[in-house]
Coordinates of all heavy atoms in Angstrom, one line a residue:
K58 N 5.8 -13.7 -4.4 CA 5.1 -12.5 -5.0 C 5.3 -12.4 -6.4 O 4.6 -11.6 -7.1 CB 5.5 -11.2 -4.3 CG 4.9 -11.0 -2.9 CD 5.4 -9.6 -2.4 CE 5.0 -8.4 -3.1 NZ 3.7 -7.9 -2.9
R60 N 8.0 -10.8 -7.3 CA 8.4 -9.4 -7.2 C 9.8 -9.3 -7.7 O 10.7 -10.1 -7.4 CB 8.4 -9.0 -5.8 CG 8.9 -7.7 -5.4 CD 8.4 -7.3 -4.0 NE 9.0 -6.2 -3.3 CZ 8.2 -5.2 -2.7 NH1 6.9 -5.3 -2.7 NH2 8.8 -4.2 -2.1
P144 N 6.5 -7.1 2.6 CA 5.8 -6.4 1.5 C 4.3 -6.7 1.6 O 3.9 -7.6 2.3 CB 6.4 -6.8 0.2 CG 6.8 -8.3 0.5 CD 7.1 -8.3 2.0
S145 N 3.5 -6.0 0.8 CA 2.1 -6.4 0.7 C 1.9 -7.8 0.2 O 2.7 -8.3 -0.6 CB 1.3 -5.4 -0.1 OG 2.0 -5.2 -1.4
N147 N 0.2 -9.5 -1.8 CA -0.4 -9.7 -3.1 C 0.7 -10.2 -4.1 O 1.9 -10.0 -3.9 CB -1.0 -8.5 -3.7 CG 0.0 -7.3 -3.6 OD1 0.3 -6.8 -2.5 ND2 0.6 -7.0 -4.8
S153 N -3.1 -4.3 -3.4 CA -2.7 -4.9 -2.1 C -4.0 -5.4 -1.4 O -5.0 -4.7 -1.5 CB -2.1 -3.8 -1.2 OG -0.9 -3.3 -2.0
E182 N -0.9 1.6 1.7 CA 0.4 1.3 2.3 C 0.9 2.6 3.0 O 0.5 3.7 2.8 CB 1.4 0.9 1.3 CG 1.0 -0.4 0.5 CD 0.1 0.0 -0.7 OE1 -0.4 1.1 -0.7 OE2 -0.2 -1.0 -1.4
R197 N 6.8 8.0 -0.7 CA 5.5 7.5 -1.1 C 4.5 8.1 -0.1 O 4.7 8.1 1.1 CB 5.5 6.0 -0.8 CG 4.2 5.3 -1.1 CD 4.3 3.8 -1.2 NE 4.4 3.2 0.2 CZ 4.6 1.9 0.5 NH1 4.6 1.0 -0.5 NH2 4.6 1.5 1.7
H237 N 1.5 -0.9 -10.6 CA 1.0 -1.4 -9.4 C -0.5 -1.4 -9.3 O -1.1 -0.6 -10.0 CB 1.5 -0.4 -8.3 CG 2.6 -1.0 -7.4 ND1 3.8 -0.3 -7.3 CD2 2.7 -2.0 -6.6 CE1 4.6 -1.0 -6.5 NE2 3.9 -2.0 -6.1
Y238 N -1.0 -2.2 -8.5 CA -2.4 -2.0 -8.0 C -3.3 -2.1 -9.3 O -4.5 -1.7 -9.2 CB -2.7 -0.7 -7.4 CG -1.6 -0.2 -6.5 CD1 -1.0 1.1 -6.7 CD2 -1.1 -1.0 -5.4 CE1 0.1 1.5 -5.9 CE2 -0.1 -0.5 -4.6 CZ 0.5 0.7 -4.8 OH 1.6 1.1 -4.1
Ligands
LIG402 MG1 3.2 -3.7 -2.5

Side-chain angles (χ1 to χ4, degrees):
K58 279 180 66 79
R60 176 166 168 131
S145 48
N147 51 283
S153 305
E182 302 82 351
R197 178 172 76 184
H237 251 120
Y238 324 123

